[in-house]
Amino acid sequence: MPQAAQQRNYARFIAQRLQDTLGQSFVVDNRPGGGSIIGTDLAAKSAPDGYTLLMMSNTHTVNETLIPTKPFQLMRDFVAVAPVNYSDLVLVAHPGLPATNLRDLLQQAKSKPGKFNYASSGPGTPYHMAGELFKSMAGVYLVHIPYRGSSGARTDVIGGQVDVMFDAVTTMAEQIKAGKVKALATTGRVRSDVLPDVPTMNEAGVPGYEATIWLGLMAPRGTPKAVVDKLNEAVSKIASQPEVKQLWSRQGATPMVMTPEAFDTYARDDIAKWSRVIKTAGIKAD
């Protein structure tokens, strides 16, 4: 499932649960375009009364460095409310790739820089950023092959035109089971429930590596602290429900629960993390 569609689905899910919990109507207003800039700017300019929230992702934390001329700044114009969940990625390779595991790929990539390439759904996307973080932390050089969307990238990895790519665990799980691609490693701190037999990047040879797609809620700066705390408590309760954990686990997502203050720190750290990657790799917005 494309990241934007996944984000909309979780926004609707949280909106419905918040409505049930708080007895207040929640409407999801999808405003696509401009790499999330259009909808985010609208939210930033909304009244800080607790009636407008932003469902954001780490695309927003990447954009803080990638698109410096945007009309808002995430941590200046918004206040952190609560995280929602995160989803792992998986590094997959065409079955014909002469590397049976991640350590083999690392060894070969280091001995022949530029021999291997990786596909992504475009500059600045989570799949691209996962690849650049991998290159930086593993000390290897892979040629980036950007596509306009994930489907073309996925097709060419399966077809053998491209060597490897980072993709959503749930999207690639069936392809892995069918033998159309081979899984080298997942990108979370712990193994994925969807692919429990696949090691993490940390286990497979890149210590400390982590690159996930995560979602969270923010509110316009100036929203009263009492409102933020009430929303945080409600979202945290939703994410902690056993049935929600089970449902999200089947979808490859893991709940995240933090105080507003901890989520603020988490978002700022993520901005700094991707800023280093973007500057090191010299990435420019498409």
Side-chain angles (χ1 to χ4, degrees), residues 8-20:
R8 287 195 299 273
N9 287 345
Y10 284 120
R12 293 189 185 102
F13 181 91
I14 291 295
Q16 182 60 56
R17 293 297 180 109
L18 283 174
Q19 183 170 308
D20 295 342

Side-chain angles (χ1 to χ4, degrees), residues 131-265:
E132 292 302 321
L133 181 65
F134 171 66
K135 288 164 58 177
S136 175
M137 293 186 68
V140 296
Y141 177 65
L142 279 66
V143 178
H144 177 220
I145 310 295
Y147 288 75
R148 290 192 176 277
S150 297
S151 59
R154 198 172 296 125
T155 297
D156 281 1
V157 171
I158 292 172
Q161 286 78 33
V162 185
D163 296 317
V164 300
M165 77 174 291
F166 287 89
D167 203 352
V169 163
T170 48
T171 302
M172 272 297 181
E174 290 304 316
Q175 308 293 348
I176 293 166
K177 292 174 184 175
K180 293 183 178 180
V181 292
K182 54 186 174 184
L184 300 181
T186 54
T187 63
R189 292 184 181 180
V190 298
R191 292 197 180 197
S192 167
D193 289 340
V194 179
L195 297 171
D197 295 330
V198 179
T200 65
M201 296 285 285
N202 183 70
E203 293 173 313
V206 187
Y209 183 97
E210 182 184 13
T212 63
I213 295 176
W214 59 265
L215 305 175
L217 289 172
M218 289 191 164
R221 177 66 61 180
T223 300
K225 180 75 165 56
V227 173
V228 170
D229 288 344
K230 184 175 183 179
L231 288 167
N232 177 274
E233 180 182 6
V235 174
S236 297
K237 283 184 177 179
I238 292 167
S240 299
Q241 292 171 353
E243 64 271 24
V244 172
K245 290 181 179 181
Q246 292 173 9
L247 174 64
W248 286 358
S249 177
R250 292 194 296 271
Q251 298 170 350
T254 301
M256 299 170 69
V257 176
M258 300 178 194
T259 64
E261 294 77 16
F263 184 41
D264 179 275
T265 299

